[in-house]
Amino acid sequence: MNQNTDLLTLRSVSKAYGTVPVLHDIDLSIRDGEFLTVLGPSGSGKTTVLRLIGGLEPLTSGEIRLDGEDISRMPINRRPFNTVFQDYALFPHMTVSGNVGYGLSVRHLKRTEIARRVGEALDLVQLGLFAERFPSQLSGGQRQRVALARALICQPRLILLDEPLAALDLELRRQMQEFLKSIQREIKTTFLFVTHDQEEAIGMADRICVMQAGHIRQLGTPHELYYKPNCEFVARFFGENNLVAGKLGPVQGEQRPIETALGRLVCSIGGQPHLKAAPDGASAFAAFRPEALHLADATDSGNRFSGTIADLAFAGSSTVATIAAGADNASQRLRLRMPSRIGGSVLKSGETVSLSFAPHEGHLVLA
Amino acid sequence: MSGAGSTDSAERLLSRLVTMLAFALPVIFVLVPLAIFLVYSFFSVDQGTIVHVPTLGNYARFFTDPIFLPVFWNTIVLCVSVAVICILLAYPAAYFLTTLKGRWRYALLMLLLVPLLMSYVIKIYAIRSILGLNGFLNKALVALGILDQPSTLFVFNMNAILLTLSLLLIPFAILPIFLSLERIPQTLLRASDDLGASGLQTFLRITLPLSMPGVASAASFVFVLAIGDFLTPQMVGGISGFTFGRILYSQFGTAYNWPFGAALSVALAIVVIAAILVGERFGRSRGTSV
């Protein structure tokens, strides 16, 4: 269970349905014991990745290696992976313990052994009292946990989860996120979790793989994706962001300016050689998070611009301002997020203010 | 104001009338005739006229006469056999249909159901000619060397009734089985594969149990249709193929003993209702929806 060794490797995997390609040359390594989330909008090919790994679909080209061995053609029932399906796919004619024990009983284990392990698995998912119920007698969250117990009882090398929380309501989804994460830590099994919900991804994943239109756009920790998105798609898709288009200026050490409608904005390029290598005048975006934007004071020398507060929305712990900036304070819409205060916001709708963000909180994304 | 009130009450009257009609039609055309049968079964016949005095004589005769109970029992056995044969033949056909993709599936299903559009009597004639001494079945068996000479085993006896009824009623078995197989979500089968089951294990442990409601309704359909049939035994049964339906028919048609016929009908109705209830009980499996 060393997180530095690769469990599963996808090498230039492609998939097409008929003549319609859905995955283009995917390369992906899944580390042993990690919680990897594949995140993408619908139609990005994320579920296809999961189905190819699980053996539910054949690949069109490329190969999948488990511990270095090609398993692309291994039939589904021999792969040491188990899937938690989106609609749970519980067997309606079997009890909870029948469902959970299914994977063991098709392997002809002894009854006493099956009963013991079913008991353990049900305890793990806190459903010990529901063993003799039928799936139709359970709530959504309980079915979810049965599906999880059924998958993990076979002690698979990898558990594949296909948007398992999509059908649950918000509160239950939050609980299940924590629950899944804690189970994963406890059984130390690799989880591959597919979702379109970026909050879900941030909350649970060790690493996130962002997909779009059949390509992997970026693979990294939630922190890397949030603060160092490598393309416009990730910058826009992953969390709320302000993107201001412009042309790159000459490199200044670990920073680089960009000429935009808001004037010259200086952003950090630390640790990202491709941003250093981009030619002067190349099209790019300055990207900064709403919480990085703040009212300028005397100490803010650079990255200053003015804007008009178009809208002010109280969102509980924070207050979000929509700001019109740029030419005539209209061409560019920005968002600013600041902690809410009991005395009301210092901002007023319609007011024109001076704004700024620190260069180290700004980031560049090539267009 | 009053105008609106009167249209209101007129509408209410109309809707009440429609409701009453909806209840009245089945009562008048189904329940009342059944009740009349029940009442008639307690009458008797004297010199060709019906005596309207309640008696249990018909039922006593049914249970004591050495002819009726054995035929009754044999007919039930026959119809159960027909149901079993139909299920055994229809299940693979229905299963094969569900493995087909898209348009082919329904095109082939329609083809299998086409015989239902043909005249019943013509089908019986056709099957009789297949089963007969110079029929296709005998010729084929002789040609294959299984028989030395054409056999009379297949026509004008119980076997003939069994084969003919099975052939006639197979479409009624295919349809419910096909529908129940088609309703099984594909993800359940994939989940079974995913958990390590072989194709055979998936079929035996997931597909088969989940299609049992369809099998149960198919069996009760076929049984009920077979046991009520008197035309098929009449046409292919000959002398030895004597079924309860034929006895019933003769009580009304030739013996003119309506009260006794009614009592036999009541006995048959009880079996039919029991078969339908059993089919319904197993047709409703526990929580088929996930």
Side-chain angles (χ1 to χ4, degrees), chain A residues 77 82-83 92-93 102 105-106, chain B residues 192 194-195 197 201 205 286-287:
Chain A
N77 54 0
N82 288 118
T83 307
H93 58 300
Y102 187 80
S105 80
V106 296
Chain B
S192 173
D194 183 79
L195 290 162
Q201 282 173 323
R205 305 183 61 159
R286 189 188 286 273

Side-chain angles (χ1 to χ4, degrees), chain A residues 246-258:
Chain A
K247 305 278 182 208
L248 291 179
V251 176
Q252 301 166 353
E254 292 300 296
Q255 295 183 336
R256 195 163 184 179
I258 179 168

Side-chain angles (χ1 to χ4, degrees), chain A residues 92-109:
Chain A
H93 58 300
M94 296 181 192
T95 60
V96 166
S97 54
N99 267 284
V100 174
Y102 187 80
L104 301 181
S105 80
V106 296
R107 288 181 180 80
H108 306 294
L109 265 69

Side-chain angles (χ1 to χ4, degrees), chain A residues 2-11 26-38 49-50 52-54 64-68 81 157-160 184 189-194 206-207 209 216 219:
Chain A
N2 184 344
Q3 277 221 15
N4 294 318
T5 56
D6 287 341
L7 174 75
L8 194 79
T9 317
L10 275 64
R11 273 196 210 153
I26 296 288
D27 285 293
L28 175 65
S29 291
I30 301 168
R31 294 175 189 158
D32 205 356
E34 78 172 330
F35 196 124
L36 178 70
T37 295
V38 179
V49 169
L50 178 134
L52 293 179
I53 295 173
I64 297 176
R65 288 179 170 271
L66 172 69
D67 300 325
F81 312 142
R157 301 289 304 278
L158 174 64
I159 292 183
L160 305 161
Q184 196 259 344
T189 301
T190 315
F191 274 43
L192 182 72
F193 186 96
V194 166
D206 294 323
R207 290 196 306 160
C209 168
I216 292 179
L219 175 64

